[in-house]
Amino acid sequence: MRFESLRESLLKGGIAPRHVRRYLAELTEHLDDLTEKQRAQGYDGEDAELRARALLGEDRELAAAMLEQKSLHSIPARAPWLIFGLLPPVAGIAAAFALIAPLALIARILHMAAKGGILAPQWFQETAFAVTGVGNLALAPALAAGFVFLAARQRISWLWPLLAIVLLALMDLQFQAHFPPAGHRGGSLSIGATTWIWHWRSWLETWPSSVARLLLTLLPGAFFLRTRSLVGQ
Amino acid sequence: MASESALAAGLSELMVLRLLREQEMYGYEIVQAIALRTRQALTPGEGVIYPLLHALEKEGLLKSRRKTVGGRSRIYYSLTARGAKRLSAMTDHWSALTGAVGAVLHAV
């Protein structure tokens, strides 16, 4: 692929991927125009291409021009501590609320909530169990995968996504839905985030799902490290 | 020298803004226009114009749009109102600077 080493230099230098993409697209178009001009001037085939490439500039020069524009650097590259250190807990809590909010809204609209808990029909209970199940097993792993994707896309040091993953794993987001037998009041929907190290007893009580959640959260990190080591070989 | 590099960067910005005041252009056209008007006096690698265009756009001095002409899709740049203001300020500054340097060079 054209400009592959330039792409790597720019991404490793912290340039935002969208600027890299656009820069390479523009360079490709520019190179085509230059090649066409060289042909029009009588140079043929490889000669025209080589002259055009020289006129465009060396990779080193093209990379330096982009890297010195600080405004084109991505936020994760400029402040990785913000994206991979502070954002994971905030994103975790926001995503948990986003997942549970529609259920709370439905319960409110249909007047299920009242003193003494939720009086929930069967379909709502099933939906709530499905949502909490997905939340328990998939939310933290999905967020972890997102941070890994972000780091891989921007060639950011592996330490940063691992920090995000560790924070998510420590946070241990949990969703719970409890309902009494149909027709009885007293059900509840709850979300919580707690460091399992402090609540290891309750963590052990539900160990199958706790361990599954922990492993799934760590999985994107393992995949990331594996991919990095393969690329590095 | 850092100051020379800053001067060259300012000069490139001034020329780009001035050219785009006349009409919207894509990168290759801008480079060719600069080469023509400066009689090839400024010949950096042609590709280095794009980081400057991106940065000026990010600053709100330029805007861009993708346009297909003659079967080829290109990104055209044009000046914004903010860019026009910057151009005016830079032109005044540059005129004052060249006047001052000229006065020193041509002093008897």
Side-chain angles (χ1 to χ4, degrees):
Chain A
M1 188 191 274
R2 272 170 164 182
F3 305 116
E4 194 51 39
S5 67
L6 178 60
R7 177 200 306 274
E8 283 303 308
S9 303
L10 295 173
L11 288 171
K12 283 178 184 162
I15 300 296
R18 65 194 169 92
H19 284 296
V20 173
R21 210 167 34 245
R22 184 163 146 191
Y23 187 32
L24 299 188
E26 286 179 312
L27 287 178
T28 303
E29 287 162 14
H30 199 117
L31 188 59
D32 289 343
D33 284 330
L34 282 172
T35 308
E36 214 169 89
K37 189 179 172 187
Q38 297 306 308
R39 286 200 182 114
Q41 287 177 353
Y43 297 97
D44 58 354
E46 204 176 329
D47 244 11
E49 282 169 23
L50 286 173
R51 289 179 64 87
R53 190 63 184 82
L55 284 169
L56 189 68
E58 291 175 13
D59 275 8
R60 187 176 40 81
E61 188 184 8
L62 296 172
M66 197 68 170
L67 292 172
E68 75 183 22
Q69 299 289 351
K70 297 296 174 203
S71 65
L72 305 179
H73 289 235
S74 69
I75 295 174
R78 274 186 285 181
W81 54 270
L82 176 71
I83 302 300
F84 298 98
L86 292 182
L87 190 59
V90 175
I93 291 166
F97 273 106
L99 199 62
I100 214 85
L103 284 176
L105 193 66
I106 291 169
R108 192 180 175 87
I109 290 170
L110 299 181
H111 305 292
M112 291 179 205
K115 198 175 178 184
I118 299 173
L119 181 59
Q122 191 62 30
W123 65 265
F124 184 83
Q125 294 188 19
E126 283 166 10
T127 309
F129 284 129
V131 168
T132 52
V134 168
N136 277 328
L137 284 179
L139 187 64
L143 288 171
F147 284 106
V148 163
F149 174 73
L150 190 66
R153 188 167 167 251
Q154 306 201 18
R155 312 298 190 267
I156 286 169
S157 162
W158 59 272
L159 286 169
W160 290 110
L162 286 198
L163 171 66
I165 288 170
V166 167
L167 288 172
L168 285 167
L170 283 175
M171 219 175 127
D172 200 29
L173 281 166
Q174 289 176 39
F175 295 76
Q176 287 178 347
H178 295 293
F179 297 104
H184 291 78
R185 282 195 179 277
S188 68
L189 264 174
S190 63
I191 49 175
T194 176
T195 305
W196 53 267
I197 293 169
W198 293 340
H199 300 277
W200 58 274
R201 277 179 202 279
S202 61
W203 196 83
L204 284 177
E205 279 168 15
T206 55
W207 73 268
S209 66
S210 301
V211 170
R213 185 164 57 245
L214 180 62
L215 290 178
L216 286 170
T217 305
L218 296 176
L219 194 63
F223 177 74
F224 182 66
L225 288 179
R226 174 83 182 133
T227 313
R228 278 269 160 122
S229 70
L230 285 178
V231 170
Q233 277 172 9
Chain B
M1 219 160 77
S3 56
E4 279 178 11
S5 150
L7 191 67
L11 195 58
S12 303
E13 183 180 330
L14 176 64
M15 285 190 292
V16 165
L17 294 177
R18 178 66 183 78
L19 285 168
L20 293 176
R21 190 182 74 171
E22 297 166 13
Q23 63 181 97
E24 65 173 2
M25 293 173 143
Y26 57 93
Y28 179 77
E29 277 184 326
I30 295 171
V31 171
Q32 300 308 310
I34 290 174
L36 188 70
R37 294 193 193 188
T38 62
R39 298 190 192 98
Q40 311 278 351
L42 298 171
T43 53
E46 294 195 5
V48 302
I49 193 78
Y50 296 103
L52 174 64
L53 292 170
H54 290 203
L56 293 176
E57 185 181 8
K58 184 124 189 175
E59 227 185 305
L61 305 177
L62 301 181
K63 58 185 177 187
S64 69
R65 65 181 179 128
R66 195 165 264 288
K67 195 167 131 185
T68 303
V69 177
R72 290 186 64 176
S73 168
R74 303 175 192 279
I75 297 174
Y76 279 77
Y77 293 88
S78 58
L79 202 62
T80 61
R82 205 167 152 195
K85 263 189 202 167
R86 168 76 73 90
L87 172 62
S88 171
M90 286 185 85
T91 306
D92 289 348
H93 182 67
W94 188 255
S95 300
L97 194 66
T98 50
V101 173
V104 171
L105 292 178
H106 300 117
V108 181

